[in-house]
Amino acid sequence: RATVPFNSLTLSDYEEAIMEGIKLHDGEIDLITEDPSAPTFSNTIEALEKSGSLLDRSSSVFFNLLSAERSDALESLAEKLSPILSEHSSKLLHNTALFRRIKTVYEQYQSDSSLSSALDIEDKKLLEDTYIEFVRHGANLNDSDKEKLASLSQSLSLLSITFSQNHLKDLNAFSLHITDAHEVAGVPDTAMSIAKEEATRLNLDGWLFTLQAPSYVPFMTYCSNRSLRKEMYMAYNTQCLHGDENDNREIALKIINIRREIAQLLGYSSYADYVLERRMSENTKYVYHMFDELISAYMPVAKSDVRRIESLAKELEGSDFTLEPWDFSYYSNKLKERDYAINSEMVRPYLQLDLVKEGVFCLATELYGLHFVRNKSIPVYHPDVEAYEVFDEDGDYQAVLYCDFFPRPSKQSGAWMTSYKEQWIDDDGFNSRPHVSVTTNFTKPTSDKPSLLTLGELETFLHEFGHSLHGMLSNVRHKSLNGTNVYWDFVELPSQFMENYAFERDFLRKFAFHYESGEPLPDEMLDKIISSRNFNAAYSCIRQVSLGMLDMSYYTMSEPFASDIIEHEKKIFDKTRLLPYAEGTCMSTQFDHIMSGGYSAGYYSYKWAEILDADAFSVFKREGIFNRQTSSRFRDCILSRGGSEHPMTLYKRFRGGEPTIDALLERNGIVRH
């Protein structure tokens, strides 16, 4: 159960562990390639799978920390280590002697059915994945092309880090200092308290609003001052566009072109073709078919919704009023309040983070028999972080879960789940359990209020917790197949599946109590939450499709991209635009998911997984949302199996057939014409 000793680690420890890990890994690879015996599954494939444990662990911890607790020193070390790690990875994947052994084993098992039948499903998947991984990283290239690929990969690694660092710096660079509360009339008390504490932290009077989600989102939703909404909107949507050291335009162009070059060097027409070969969707045809289906079903409703919002704005502001992007959240909320008499601030007092957390943990108990015990003796990397030991219903140790909920200048924006230690089963049958983390940027507690969440933040918690369940419930033999190590367009199923519970009455009843009075969330408000679930669902869908289309537009290119990135983005978004274009804005320069994250040529997977999660949850709705038999089937067929089989095989085993769009349309109240 040894956890990361964060309290005793120094910067030099990370570098020393990673460099020693590289040295040990090189030695382990030498033992495989210099083995005089004939290549076998055991002495080659399994031996490779077991190699590099120190390097894997130390580099995972280091780069996870870089996202959650960034410092200039960590960044400098990342810039130093990234090319070294990239070179090591390239050296491994282009090791001719090693690949010769892998290829020999692969071809033996492909041609000899008696050999193949001796492997179980997980072994076969490991063999296939290992061989294909090497091929997809250029093992069949000549020496000159291997060197070129290594150089491109190293450049891409550095550019990705720089892109992400620039975005974080620009995100933190902007603040709106207000000294007169009347200027921000309408902003709720919770957001004002956060802004007050932010100003106090910097020895300023008044209030300081930032682009961090707990500040930006309520500001744009509630602030009645249109000029300030515009200022905030433009600041947010022009991140990394200011022609300074944080400008990401040229870096984005280089990232896009390097990925295309890598794909073409490997024999693919585009980077998307390369990526989708190892995805549930398999090719761009099915991705664009999904986009077309969603646009056809949702666009008419989205346009109608925007017209209704603009109509209300004209009623309130005058017939010559034009709805601009910085107005959308504000008047959308006004319409929601009018039609449903509810807004996120009304719900917030009933969603105290500590109780929400217990409610989410209890949901895991009810579905999967898990129990969470806080262990303050487990070292953490920041005082805000909580560490839990997780046990199954028999009392057996299952996992360690770190929870890091609140924003700080050293943390990346957004929310994510990650692993500090993977799960695997060794040759003696010992099940080495995982250590995973849920990291968010929720509204912080203040001097007079606990942390209170919006309904959207509850959904985010459930989403990332769903990812963590995928990690914590993993039960495979091979480490590289564990947990969330699945095809990218399948990885969001467990997370988005969990979001459904945010709108389930019987779930909310377990923890939604007023933080002061202790009164339960009123039935009337519960009814409004459930009935308002589909408010702006069509608009949100089209926005996600738009982002997916932008992603695909960059990575389906077969020729060098040299266009103005702002103009290119504008052209793509024009196809699904619902609001006027704000001159000079750009998403691409801050789009970490597709530039520096794992979603390049894969952002569509959020909608893909939403189709899956609606389809899967429809089974729970039919059989019972807490039904233990149904949840056990979901656990056994999907959550525990990681990437040990093709995801469609796993899904069909749970569902009894392939998913369709029908359950999503029904959930969103969309009638297909």
Side-chain angles (χ1 to χ4, degrees):
R1 296 189 194 181
T3 58
V4 181
F6 289 111
N7 55 342
S8 61
L9 288 175
T10 65
L11 197 66
S12 61
D13 290 329
Y14 292 109
E15 182 173 7
E16 182 181 340
I18 288 172
M19 296 308 295
E20 179 66 16
I22 290 173
K23 179 182 176 181
L24 290 174
H25 198 201
D26 284 339
E28 291 165 336
I29 299 304
D30 288 342
L31 287 175
I32 297 172
T33 58
E34 294 169 6
D35 188 340
S37 58
T40 65
F41 180 82
S42 177
N43 70 20
T44 301
I45 306 302
E46 282 192 312
L48 176 61
E49 169 72 6
K50 295 172 184 175
S51 70
S53 58
L54 175 61
L55 178 59
D56 288 345
R57 186 83 189 276
S58 57
S59 58
S60 292
V61 172
F62 175 74
F63 285 103
N64 286 342
L65 204 61
L66 188 65
S67 296
E69 188 59 8
R70 172 207 158 271
S71 68
D72 291 341
L74 278 175
E75 280 192 1
S76 296
L77 184 55
E79 290 173 3
K80 176 183 178 181
L81 292 175
S82 290
I84 296 172
L85 288 165
S86 180
E87 182 181 358
H88 174 73
S89 177
S90 179
K91 177 184 172 184
L92 171 68
L93 291 164
H94 298 151
N95 186 317
T96 303
L98 178 61
F99 180 62
R100 190 182 300 122
R101 291 181 69 92
I102 292 168
K103 190 172 184 178
T104 297
V105 176
Y106 180 78
E107 290 178 344
Q108 285 175 346
Y109 281 88
Q110 287 291 104
S111 61
D112 189 332
S113 58
S114 62
L115 272 177
S116 181
S117 63
L119 298 181
D120 64 19
I121 290 173
E122 199 173 317
D123 289 337
K124 289 177 182 176
K125 189 67 163 55
L126 178 65
L127 174 58
E128 177 188 320
D129 284 359
T130 303
Y131 175 74
I132 291 176
E133 179 77 359
F134 273 75
V135 171
R136 285 170 60 82
H137 282 86
N140 281 329
L141 296 178
N142 60 44
D143 290 342
S144 174
D145 283 344
K146 284 179 180 177
E147 289 182 13
K148 184 177 181 181
L149 181 62
S151 176
L152 289 170
S153 298
Q154 184 171 324
S155 296
L156 180 61
S157 176
L158 286 173
L159 286 166
S160 297
I161 289 175
T162 303
F163 184 98
S164 182
Q165 290 174 349
N166 285 352
H167 181 208
L168 181 60
K169 290 172 185 175
D170 229 36
L171 180 78
N172 289 328
F174 175 86
S175 60
L176 178 66
H177 184 209
I178 299 296
T179 55
D180 182 355
H182 293 95
E183 290 188 77
V184 289
V187 175
D189 290 344
T190 304
M192 292 296 286
S193 296
I194 293 170
K196 170 62 75 175
E197 294 205 349
E198 187 66 16
T200 302
R201 185 178 68 83
L202 297 177
N203 297 316
L204 296 172
D205 294 330
W207 301 265
L208 200 67
F209 295 92
T210 72
L211 300 182
Q212 295 282 358
S215 179
Y216 179 79
V217 173
F219 189 97
M220 296 303 295
T221 304
Y222 297 101
C223 182
S224 61
N225 189 323
R226 193 185 193 200
S227 63
L228 290 182
R229 289 202 309 269
K230 180 178 180 180
E231 185 177 348
M232 287 286 279
Y233 177 89
M234 293 303 293
Y236 193 93
N237 288 280
T238 56
Q239 290 179 76
C240 304
L241 279 176
H242 304 297
D244 56 12
E245 66 275 10
N246 295 335
D247 197 301
N248 270 339
R249 277 174 285 193
E250 287 301 315
I251 293 173
L253 288 176
K254 289 177 182 177
I255 287 172
I256 293 161
N257 281 317
I258 286 177
R259 287 195 170 120
R260 175 191 51 77
E261 284 188 75
I262 287 172
Q264 291 178 342
L265 193 61
L266 293 168
Y268 299 86
S269 175
S270 70
Y271 188 71
D273 290 328
Y274 167 74
V275 168
L276 295 179
E277 182 183 60
R278 299 289 284 171
R279 294 291 188 268
M280 198 172 176
S281 61
E282 297 184 340
N283 57 59
T284 58
K285 172 187 172 184
Y286 287 104
V287 173
Y288 278 106
H289 174 70
M290 180 192 74
F291 288 157
D292 290 342
E293 268 201 309
L294 292 172
I295 290 171
S296 175
Y298 284 82
M299 194 68 174
V301 180
K303 287 180 177 178
S304 175
D305 288 346
V306 171
R307 284 195 298 269
R308 291 177 63 231
I309 292 166
E310 183 161 38
S311 176
L312 175 62
K314 287 179 182 294
E315 286 179 29
L316 297 173
E317 309 298 344
S319 59
D320 60 344
F321 184 88
T322 299
L323 189 73
E324 299 288 353
W326 47 85
D327 300 317
F328 183 79
S329 294
Y330 181 74
Y331 290 103
S332 172
N333 183 64
K334 291 286 188 187
L335 182 64
K336 187 176 182 180
E337 288 179 335
R338 188 191 74 178
D339 288 359
Y340 298 98
I342 193 170
N343 62 51
S344 59
E345 291 305 308
M346 292 167 63
V347 179
R348 193 192 288 270
Y350 297 91
L351 297 180
Q352 183 178 341
L353 176 58
D354 286 342
L355 294 183
V356 170
K357 180 177 60 182
E358 290 305 313
V360 172
F361 286 173
C362 286
L363 177 60
T365 303
E366 204 154 357
L367 293 175
Y368 308 114
L370 300 181
H371 297 276
F372 299 78
V373 180
R374 176 90 182 266
N375 186 339
K376 294 184 178 181
S377 67
I378 294 177
V380 294
Y381 54 84
H382 188 277
D384 284 348
V385 181
E386 300 171 348
Y388 293 85
E389 290 183 301
V390 186
F391 302 90
D392 67 18
E393 55 195 336
D394 295 325
D396 294 330
Y397 167 70
Q398 189 74 24
V400 169
L401 173 67
Y402 298 96
C403 294
D404 182 0
F405 291 122
F406 305 123
R408 50 184 176 268
S410 57
K411 187 197 284 190
Q412 292 275 20
S413 61
W416 62 93
M417 168 267 177
T418 193
S419 296
Y420 285 94
K421 176 184 173 294
E422 308 284 3
Q423 178 269 327
W424 72 90
I425 301 173
D426 67 18
D427 293 339
D428 297 323
F430 175 74
N431 197 328
S432 183
R433 301 308 304 166
H435 302 169
V436 304
S437 172
V438 167
T439 309
T440 64
N441 280 276
F442 291 156
T443 304
K444 293 185 71 170
T446 63
S447 56
D448 60 344
K449 285 183 182 177
S451 176
L452 302 172
L453 306 188
T454 65
L455 189 62
E457 287 176 323
L458 170 61
E459 289 181 87
T460 297
F461 191 166
L462 286 164
H463 180 102
E464 301 307 334
F465 189 73
H467 281 311
S468 77
L469 287 172
H470 206 178
M472 291 187 289
L473 294 175
S474 178
N475 195 37
V476 299
R477 286 190 296 111
H478 301 306
K479 182 168 61 175
S480 65
L481 302 178
N482 92 99
T484 57
N485 292 314
V486 300
Y487 287 175
W488 270 107
D489 52 2
F490 190 64
V491 75
E492 295 297 336
L493 167 60
S495 56
Q496 294 185 190
F497 168 85
M498 289 294 286
E499 290 182 41
N500 288 281
Y501 284 94
F503 298 91
E504 290 296 329
R505 185 185 306 272
D506 291 342
F507 172 61
L508 291 169
R509 275 273 171 251
K510 297 176 184 294
F511 60 86
F513 301 97
H514 197 282
Y515 79 100
E516 290 178 317
S517 69
E519 292 295 316
L521 189 66
D523 286 331
E524 181 185 5
M525 198 175 295
L526 266 171
D527 292 339
K528 291 173 182 176
I529 289 172
I530 295 166
S531 63
S532 67
R533 180 182 188 181
N534 288 329
F535 182 77
N536 276 348
Y539 176 89
S540 298
C541 174
I542 295 301
R543 173 172 165 74
Q544 285 294 89
V545 169
S546 300
L547 293 173
M549 290 174 67
L550 177 66
D551 172 39
M552 295 303 288
S553 77
Y554 288 134
Y555 295 120
T556 52
M557 291 181 181
S558 58
E559 299 295 330
F561 179 49
S563 303
D564 181 287
I565 203 163
I566 297 177
E567 288 303 311
H568 173 84
E569 177 178 300
K570 181 176 181 293
K571 182 179 178 181
I572 297 300
F573 282 169
D574 280 345
K575 299 170 185 175
T576 50
R577 192 174 300 284
L578 293 165
L579 296 168
Y581 170 64
E583 194 67 36
T585 57
C586 186
M587 175 67 183
S588 301
T589 53
Q590 58 172 297
F591 204 171
D592 287 291
H593 278 76
I594 71 167
M595 296 296 177
S596 58
Y599 285 87
S600 45
Y603 197 81
Y604 75 91
S605 60
Y606 282 105
K607 294 310 296 183
W608 185 277
E610 195 173 351
I611 292 170
L612 291 178
D613 93 65
D615 192 64
F617 199 69
S618 69
V619 179
F620 280 75
K621 292 290 283 185
R622 185 177 66 246
E623 299 177 3
I625 63 169
F626 303 120
N627 186 296
R628 180 58 78 89
Q629 288 183 320
T630 310
S631 57
S632 293
R633 193 164 79 247
F634 192 70
R635 173 180 181 165
D636 294 342
C637 295
I638 293 174
L639 295 178
S640 70
R641 299 309 305 146
S644 59
E645 294 183 71
H646 191 283
M648 188 60 82
T649 301
L650 297 176
Y651 187 80
K652 288 165 68 175
R653 189 174 296 147
F654 163 73
R655 182 68 171 92
E658 293 190 6
T660 71
I661 197 174
D662 297 339
L664 179 61
L665 294 177
E666 181 179 352
R667 186 173 76 187
N668 290 160
I670 303 293
V671 178
R672 202 197 306 241
H673 296 289

